[in-house]
Amino acid sequence: MLINRRDALALSAGALFAAMSPAWAQGKRTLRLAPHAALRVLDPVVTNAYITRNHAFMVYDTLFAVDSKYRPQPQMVKEWSVSDDKLAWTFVLRDGLAFHDGQPVTAEDCIASIARWTKKDVVGLRLAAVTASMRVVDGRTIRIELKEPFGPMLEAFARPSSIPLFIMPKRIADLPADKVLEEVVGSGPFRFLPSEFRPGVSWAYERNEKYVPRSEPPDGLAGGKQAKVDRVEVVWFPSKQTAINALAKGEIDLLENLNADQRSLLQGNKDIVIRRRPGPNASTIRFNWAQPPFDNVKVRQAVQAVVTQQDYMDASIGDPESYQVCPAFFGCGTPLETTVGFPDTGKPNIAKAKALLQEAGYKGEKIVIITPGDIASFAPLAPLTQQLLRQIGIPSEIQTMEWSAFLARRAKPDPVAEGGWNLAHAVFDRIDLISPLGNLNFDARGKGAYTGFVDDPETEALKGRYQRETDPAKQKAIVEAMQKRAYELVFYIPLGTYFDYEAFRSNVSGYVPSPVMVTWGVDKV
């Protein structure tokens, strides 16, 4: 039965799942879940949308993957080596890897997939710039030769977010990188069912019976990917309340995320398990460096002087068990965590802020804060920031818009009169912050950089040093220098990290704690 988005909104969850399940699926052991967003784009290389990334982890496999401590571990790779001069890397694939169309995964497929990925991903672009050649040694062996050492090679291949390196058949990976792929052929533990894909509404997967998992237990995104249910059916609920009701009634088995306040709607239900998600979110204040008054570092420092993470977390999250003050730009609880340069004393310093504004020659110009009105996690941020700005004498106007319009406008470095902005907020998943090369907040290339348009050649030079360094201790020292400089110049202001929650029926077991929602390991009785 074909259903569109309008039909879906009119149906109950139970009726919707009954409508989307074909007759042959009746009697199958099926996991039904509600994700955080609607899936529309299937190509994980052309977009960094989290929902497309999550879909891709179901159907594709990766050469390496991060474990629960964000360390890269081999996944499709059986063994690897690097030459003494760090210029030649050799990777050997595991036995038994095959795509869903029955074809074996070969070294040629991997090289084509790496080549496509390096045209789109920020870390991949850096790797491509120092790659001399990639060649097939034999059917399962790849050799990559570099012009200079690239220390974070394994971290790059294990990237869990933005644009992970997913392995596709060569015939698909060879298509132009700007062409949006519509055919989904992976080698992962689940097979995508294109006939059941209703963009923006629902989609489904079937267990890949021929998948050969690793022998290790699952750990984050690494380890053995044991698919235990026959089918996974996914439905997007525009209303979180509707999704919560569906879980309470047993119409779905798993709800990907709910915030700290929404937990109370399910607490006390003996049939529901609520668990804190392993990866926190990080909210931030971003400035438009390309326009006054925030092109002046003293004005940015003035705002920084009155921001405390504790105040923002208390006001926006409330529950102390659901948030933490986190000084680390590359994530607390990660290998690169550091407190270097953290200026937050826990108390706003209004006198210092006003003195900095005077030194900057600020004349009281009104600034524009842009914010999305349809994303709940952003709702408290703009009013809180406006209140702080008022205290130090910066008048502001909040302009609210839909998410898509917000993203488009935030990408413009132009003056407000020409459709630009002065201040905005952003919210990141921690896994987007852990890489000094991949963390978009450290894109310091000026007007061509990520939104905010940070312009700092010294930081770009530090990133170059980091990628050439292979000693972890020296890499950490470079990261500390990057963080110290980012706080001094106020690249952005981190507002603390907070956790969302996931909820599932008590008859669901084996749900792997992972920074990305995955359903391998999950069983249902």
Side-chain angles (χ1 to χ4, degrees), residues 28-33 228-231 233 250-254 505-511 519 521-525:
K28 295 275 189 180
R29 191 163 46 168
T30 300
L31 184 76
R32 291 171 167 172
L33 63 89
K228 296 182 177 178
V229 294
D230 301 314
R231 274 174 62 86
E233 296 177 351
E251 294 172 329
I252 61 174
D253 304 300
L254 195 157
R505 301 286 299 180
S506 57
N507 62 338
V508 170
S509 62
Y511 183 27
T519 60
V522 176
D523 206 351
K524 178 183 173 184
V525 295

Side-chain angles (χ1 to χ4, degrees), residues 3-11 16 199-201:
I3 50 177
N4 57 32
R5 190 168 187 272
R6 180 180 297 175
D7 295 333
L9 291 174
L11 293 172
L16 183 56
V201 179

Side-chain angles (χ1 to χ4, degrees), residues 453-469:
F453 322 110
V454 171
D455 189 352
D456 185 41
E458 185 170 330
T459 289
E460 288 298 307
L462 285 168
K463 288 161 66 177
R465 283 179 52 199
Y466 178 87
Q467 79 177 39
R468 289 188 294 273
E469 185 54 64

Side-chain angles (χ1 to χ4, degrees), residues 219-278:
D219 182 12
L221 290 168
K225 301 177 178 179
Q226 294 271 3
K228 296 182 177 178
V229 294
D230 301 314
R231 274 174 62 86
V232 177
E233 296 177 351
V234 190
V235 167
W236 159 238
F237 291 86
S239 162
K240 184 55 65 68
Q241 182 63 60
T242 303
I244 290 171
N245 292 343
L247 182 69
K249 293 176 184 176
E251 294 172 329
I252 61 174
D253 304 300
L254 195 157
L255 177 59
E256 182 183 0
N257 73 316
L258 62 164
N259 63 34
D261 290 339
Q262 291 164 337
R263 278 179 304 168
S264 62
L265 300 172
L266 291 168
Q267 284 174 328
N269 186 329
K270 63 180 178 55
D271 296 321
I272 303 296
V273 177
I274 301 173
R275 190 171 71 184
R276 197 172 80 169
R277 288 190 53 76

Side-chain angles (χ1 to χ4, degrees), residues 76 93-94 97-99 103-107 109-110 139-140 167 187:
M76 299 175 77
L93 298 175
R94 290 195 286 127
L97 301 178
F99 289 111
Q103 296 301 307
V105 177
T106 68
D109 298 314
C110 296
R140 294 194 298 117
I167 300 303
S187 63

Side-chain angles (χ1 to χ4, degrees), residues 128-277:
V130 299
T131 297
S133 66
M134 292 192 291
R135 62 184 175 86
V136 172
V137 176
D138 59 40
R140 294 194 298 117
T141 306
I142 309 157
R143 186 174 173 86
I144 299 177
E145 296 181 347
L146 303 176
K147 303 171 190 172
E148 63 182 43
F150 191 81
M153 175 71 85
L154 302 186
E155 289 85 350
F157 280 3
R159 271 172 67 70
S161 194
S162 291
I163 302 181
L165 170 55
F166 295 112
I167 300 303
M168 307 172 176
K170 182 177 186 299
R171 65 180 176 80
I172 296 176
D174 277 345
L175 295 171
D178 291 328
K179 176 180 172 58
V180 180
L181 301 180
E182 296 180 353
E183 185 179 10
V184 180
V185 180
S187 63
F190 289 94
R191 186 171 66 86
F192 182 65
L193 301 176
S195 64
E196 298 185 40
F197 178 41
R198 284 93 184 177
V201 179
S202 63
W203 56 102
Y205 307 90
E206 179 181 63
R207 178 168 58 189
N208 175 13
E209 301 284 357
K210 298 181 179 178
Y211 183 74
V212 180
R214 297 188 68 87
S215 59
E216 302 92 336
D219 182 12
L221 290 168
K225 301 177 178 179
Q226 294 271 3
K228 296 182 177 178
V229 294
D230 301 314
R231 274 174 62 86
V232 177
E233 296 177 351
V234 190
V235 167
W236 159 238
F237 291 86
S239 162
K240 184 55 65 68
Q241 182 63 60
T242 303
I244 290 171
N245 292 343
L247 182 69
K249 293 176 184 176
E251 294 172 329
I252 61 174
D253 304 300
L254 195 157
L255 177 59
E256 182 183 0
N257 73 316
L258 62 164
N259 63 34
D261 290 339
Q262 291 164 337
R263 278 179 304 168
S264 62
L265 300 172
L266 291 168
Q267 284 174 328
N269 186 329
K270 63 180 178 55
D271 296 321
I272 303 296
V273 177
I274 301 173
R275 190 171 71 184
R276 197 172 80 169
R277 288 190 53 76

